[in-house]
Amino acid sequence: RKEVEQDPGPFNVPEGATVAFNCTYSNSASQSFFWYRQDCRKEPKLLMSVYSSGNEDGRFTAQLNRASQYISLLIRDSKLSDSATYLCVVNIWGDYQLIWGAGTKLIIKP
Amino acid sequence: EADIYQTPRYLVIGTGKKITLECSQTMGHDKMYWYQQDPGMELHLIHYSYGVNSTEKGDLSSESTVSRIRTEHFPLTLESARPSHTSQYLCASSEMGKEAQFFGPGTRLTVL
């Protein structure tokens, strides 16, 4: 079982719709959580950190459920430019390394 | 957003050549990382450093080596490139005490 699991997709979503995807992690000692986005053949870019109380950044909302060990990302009013692969990333307490999910591919259609 | 640079951006070389991929960051970050990523696949950590004169191997076995003589510079060297080394190499950095990493644009390496 992978430490961080994501549905690879692709999620095909019409422009303007709301889309959500989850990521599950296996290590209960996980302490920090992030969503990155990666465009095709580009480097990953930090989208947002995920806080215990949940957090929002414009059209993006991230939630953490420690009991069930998953994090989620919600995108409202999706834009064509949101098309990318979204990477779920976890840090284990006491370890400087990040554990990367394989990513969920999102395609926004006009 | 961190300023982190990688050169070259693209490199095509023949088998057996020695190459060095450069990575520099201007943010004063103590921690630096090298990842390898094949198209459509996940990131794999191959080397990391917590500071000057500190280097460690990552989870993915790699024939490459790294050095960290200066805080801002973290070059990766392949002594004898092979076609199996064809991949994208991504350099990242982060502040001590913080986990979020910031990436350079990557070097796309092709070994013929």
Side-chain angles (χ1 to χ4, degrees), chain A residues 37-83:
Chain A
R37 73 168 276 167
Q38 186 172 25
D39 293 293
C40 188
R41 302 173 77 84
K42 299 281 191 180
E43 75 274 21
K45 293 187 177 180
L46 179 65
L47 180 65
M48 58 198 303
S49 302
V50 186
Y51 302 120
S52 296
S53 55
N55 49 297
E56 190 174 306
D57 183 1
R59 298 181 294 109
F60 298 84
T61 300
Q63 297 278 356
L64 168 63
N65 185 318
R66 285 191 184 274
S68 300
Q69 296 189 189
Y70 76 84
I71 67 173
S72 63
L73 179 67
L74 179 82
I75 306 174
R76 290 182 299 278
D77 187 24
S78 53
K79 313 289 185 192
L80 295 176
S81 58
D82 294 334
S83 296

Side-chain angles (χ1 to χ4, degrees), chain A residues 2 36 38 43 91 97 100, chain B residues 35 37 42 45 101 104:
Chain A
K2 289 188 176 182
Y36 279 72
Q38 186 172 25
E43 75 274 21
N91 170 253
Q97 296 182 45
W100 296 79
Chain B
Y35 290 89
Q37 186 181 34
E42 58 203 280
L45 181 67
Q101 295 177 13

